[in-house]
Amino acid sequence: MSEGEGRRRRKRRGKVTSLRRRRIRSLAVIVFVLVVFGGIGAGVQALSNTERVTSMWVGAEIRADGSARITEVIDYDFGHSGDTHGVYRDVPGSPFEDADNLRVSMDGHKVPYEDTYGDYYQDEKGERTLADRLKVGDPGHTVGGVHRYRIQYVLPDVVKGGKLAWDAVGTGWKVDRANVEIHVVDAYGFTGLRCEHGSWDNGKPCTAEQNEPGHLVVRLDKLSGHEGLTLYATAAKTKTETPVVLPTAPTGTAVGTSLPQPLGNGGLFAALALACVALTLCVLRFAGRDRVQEDGGRVRRVEVERLARSVTPSATPPEDLTPAQAGVLHLEKVTDQHKVAWLLDAAVDGHLTIEGDDQYPVLKRHGRPVNREIRDVLDRMFTGGSSLALGFRNPSFKAGWEDLSWKLEVWRHASDLWDTTLTQRLARWGKAQLAVLLLALALVITGGVLNGRRIAAGLPVLLVGAVAAGLGLAVFARGWELDRRTPRGSALWLQVEAFRRYLADPASCPDAPPAEETAERYTAWAVSLGCRGRLGRGRRRLDRGSESGAGFLAGCQ
């Protein structure tokens, strides 16, 4: 094999056909949209997965002097904040100054803490009290996920003058708390029980029970941010018959599980959506395979690209197609290069000439063509005149240019080279396709919100959104795959491909006429099929035609 032949084969192997480029571009769009959808789902989950308390257990042991030994077990979910070092507790009454009675741990291990000043608390009488703030956590490390904090301290004057008035859960909490459980034990029984929860100026009653003499219990499913809980009671004058013991505080791991990182769910969404895309694309490509007629009249489905691998270059253009039509058949769409080729072909037929220099070409019209299509387009471009300077804004040229696009599209859909039955059916469901994509986006957002709020339905909803997005995007972006070529269309496509290969490398047909003799005749074909500048010494003429085509485009701007 000669060096030139090897080079030509490498070029053929390395060349990506227009159809493949179109598929790659559409796939890139699909992947981009899915990444955006996955990012939206991950972002919504991160925003919805805010800090919260998943469980809060508070116990108070009333002492003889009216003070109480407080034990708090707080299961704190930090969500995806990423910048939190721990928790803090604001409690009026300076309970944290006595370091001997203060015990702090996280997940069963000691953790650094700091005693400072917190927010003001306002009681039902409007009196404001500055609270002590206990900051629990290492300033040098951030925390995430769910952790169990255990805090013990002594709070004075919980019972004063035989009256219990205790803010068991303060209103300084900014986060929601779930599964709140309060226990109070005293050597004396309680009467006149009253419980309120809510903000300091809008209290709502809650239920406090005395399971046994001297043991008060309050349970609430939820306290919203800035809502607290206060217990009121009167101490009995006599002690209980049997000593009352505070129930054992919760131990072990925190209640609740940490969510996967948002990018994890986003990646799961993208993986499932891409799997649906791949399956849908396979179905579309199978249903949209071109038809080829074999010997004996049998018609079968086939990828024309596979047949093109064995195509031999031919120096003879297809007889049944114009250069512009051949380009449209080859690319399966109308582009500017096809319209440039149409005008160059009209020039070769004597209807137009290109004069002037390369910077300011002038297009001149000659006579009125018999062909109605050519006549209509030129009438629009020239609007009664006989010359047209290119490179400037020209409304009449633009109107003719757009009319040429329309005519080529009409030819494409009216010819017998494509079977557009499936694509026409799909076009009738255009609104349904858009609705599926909007539904997928809504499911992604809903799934992200539910995931962030720890609702079990979140992940299934997100995955349903992935299926809808994958199917909808694949059909929306690659529905044109169903535009199948008929047996005649496939046969002509192979002829066009054979001629295109000759134009790309005239030396592939050594018996063909010299390139300089065919350059003017094949200029329009070369431009339409994307093979400019490959016709030997006729290259200057061909490039001149291409530059004129650039002038045509400038006239459309």
Side-chain angles (χ1 to χ4, degrees):
M1 181 176 62
S2 66
E3 182 180 350
E5 178 65 20
R7 183 167 57 253
R8 287 192 293 272
R9 289 191 177 183
R10 286 194 296 272
K11 286 182 179 179
R12 285 198 293 269
R13 285 197 299 267
K15 182 175 180 62
V16 180
T17 66
S18 59
L19 181 59
R20 288 175 182 170
R21 286 197 297 268
R22 188 178 182 186
R23 284 171 175 164
I24 290 172
R25 285 195 296 267
S26 63
L27 184 59
V29 171
I30 291 173
V31 171
F32 174 77
V33 175
L34 289 181
V35 169
V36 171
F37 275 31
I40 291 174
V44 169
Q45 175 181 317
L47 292 175
S48 302
N49 187 22
T50 55
E51 298 183 27
R52 77 202 77 191
V53 174
T54 59
S55 176
M56 185 172 187
W57 187 97
V58 183
E61 298 176 275
I62 307 298
R63 296 178 172 182
D65 61 357
S67 64
R69 177 69 173 175
I70 307 297
T71 300
E72 297 183 354
V73 179
I74 304 165
D75 293 345
Y76 203 98
D77 182 355
F78 290 93
H80 296 308
S81 59
D83 58 356
T84 305
H85 299 273
V87 298
Y88 65 83
R89 287 289 288 112
D90 285 354
V91 180
S94 304
F96 306 128
E97 292 181 349
D98 186 0
D100 294 336
N101 289 314
L102 182 61
R103 300 287 185 274
V104 179
S105 67
M106 182 185 78
D107 297 332
H109 303 285
K110 289 185 178 180
V111 64
Y113 62 86
E114 178 186 0
D115 182 15
T116 182
Y117 294 107
D119 292 335
Y120 280 94
Y121 274 71
Q122 189 164 347
D123 61 21
E124 57 187 2
K125 296 180 181 179
E127 297 180 358
R128 303 181 71 197
T129 304
L130 182 63
D132 265 31
R133 171 166 292 178
L134 183 69
K135 290 184 176 180
V136 182
D138 188 346
H141 296 86
T142 58
V143 292
V146 183
H147 296 276
R148 170 162 286 180
Y149 290 87
R150 182 185 177 95
I151 305 173
Q152 290 183 306
Y153 55 91
V154 174
L155 183 64
D157 298 331
V158 172
V159 175
K160 193 173 183 179
K163 300 290 186 181
L164 170 68
W166 176 41
D167 291 328
V169 182
T171 56
W173 289 92
K174 297 179 180 180
V175 300
D176 294 345
R177 285 132 295 157
N179 303 315
V180 178
E181 186 174 332
I182 312 297
H183 296 268
V184 181
V185 294
D186 190 5
Y188 295 82
F190 295 102
T191 60
L193 303 181
R194 185 163 61 93
C195 172
E196 290 186 358
H197 73 284
S199 58
W200 68 268
D201 59 346
N202 185 24
K204 294 168 286 187
C206 51
T207 302
E209 299 177 347
Q210 190 167 192
N211 289 351
E212 57 181 325
H215 183 189
L216 299 184
V217 181
V218 179
R219 292 184 177 88
L220 284 180
D221 292 334
K222 180 181 178 181
L223 281 175
S224 299
H226 293 293
E227 287 188 345
L229 186 149
T230 304
L231 273 172
Y232 301 96
T234 302
K237 297 185 184 214
T238 59
K239 290 186 176 183
T240 58
E241 295 181 359
T242 58
V244 183
V245 180
L246 189 68
T248 303
T251 58
T253 58
V255 174
T257 57
S258 298
L259 274 181
Q261 287 297 317
L263 292 181
N265 280 341
L268 184 61
F269 166 88
L272 179 59
L274 285 175
C276 293
V277 167
L279 179 61
T280 306
L281 293 185
C282 289
V283 173
L284 290 176
R285 288 193 64 171
F286 178 79
R289 281 183 174 183
D290 297 323
R291 269 52 174 174
V292 174
Q293 188 166 10
E294 298 178 327
D295 295 339
R298 179 173 174 267
V299 176
R300 65 185 180 93
R301 295 179 179 183
V302 68
E303 288 277 358
V304 173
E305 287 180 314
R306 293 185 179 180
L307 294 179
R309 296 172 187 171
S310 59
V311 168
T312 302
S314 170
T316 305
E319 296 181 357
D320 297 336
L321 298 173
T322 66
Q325 291 172 349
V328 174
L329 175 63
H330 197 260
L331 289 184
E332 293 195 289
K333 64 178 180 179
V334 177
T335 67
D336 288 336
Q337 70 187 44
H338 303 145
K339 293 182 282 185
V340 172
W342 188 95
L343 291 172
L344 291 174
D345 193 43
V348 171
D349 290 341
H351 305 305
L352 300 170
T353 57
I354 304 171
E355 301 179 0
D357 55 26
D358 293 339
Q359 186 175 5
Y360 298 105
V362 176
L363 195 65
K364 288 194 173 182
R365 178 179 182 178
H366 301 284
R368 288 181 61 79
V370 176
N371 185 291
R372 182 176 178 179
E373 177 187 278
I374 299 176
R375 185 172 64 249
D376 290 346
V377 173
L378 295 183
D379 285 347
R380 279 182 176 270
M381 286 186 176
F382 288 88
T383 58
S386 60
S387 64
L388 179 65
L390 301 178
F392 303 95
R393 293 182 181 275
N394 191 312
S396 62
F397 185 86
K398 183 177 181 180
W401 187 262
E402 292 174 350
D403 184 53
L404 179 54
S405 296
W406 179 80
K407 288 183 181 299
L408 289 175
E409 286 288 357
V410 169
W411 169 82
R412 179 179 183 276
H413 291 95
S415 70
D416 62 347
L417 306 184
W418 285 274
D419 179 1
T420 60
T421 305
L422 294 178
T423 50
Q424 288 176 359
R425 291 178 182 174
L426 195 61
R428 298 191 192 104
W429 292 89
K431 292 182 178 179
Q433 296 176 51
L434 181 60
V436 169
L437 292 179
L438 293 177
L439 174 63
L441 180 59
L443 290 173
V444 168
I445 295 174
T446 303
V449 171
L450 295 178
N451 274 331
R453 294 181 179 178
R454 299 293 203 285
I455 298 175
L459 186 58
V461 169
L462 184 69
L463 296 183
V464 171
V467 173
L471 296 178
L473 277 172
V475 174
F476 186 80
R478 293 280 281 273
W480 50 266
E481 290 270 15
L482 297 175
D483 230 5
R484 305 168 293 182
R485 292 186 186 90
T486 62
R488 180 170 180 266
S490 298
L492 285 175
W493 188 92
L494 293 173
Q495 294 180 37
V496 171
E497 175 63 14
F499 187 57
R500 184 197 67 79
R501 293 189 180 186
Y502 160 71
L503 294 176
D505 186 8
S508 61
C509 294
D511 297 334
E516 58 268 18
E517 296 181 11
T518 60
E520 184 172 358
R521 184 159 54 97
Y522 289 164
T523 293
W525 287 93
V527 171
S528 181
L529 298 177
C531 300
R532 298 178 297 183
R534 297 295 183 114
L535 298 181
R537 282 186 288 176
R539 180 175 177 177
R540 176 176 296 180
R541 285 184 172 182
L542 182 55
D543 286 347
R544 174 66 180 275
S546 301
E547 290 166 2
S548 300
F552 298 154
L553 297 179
C556 296
Q557 302 302 317

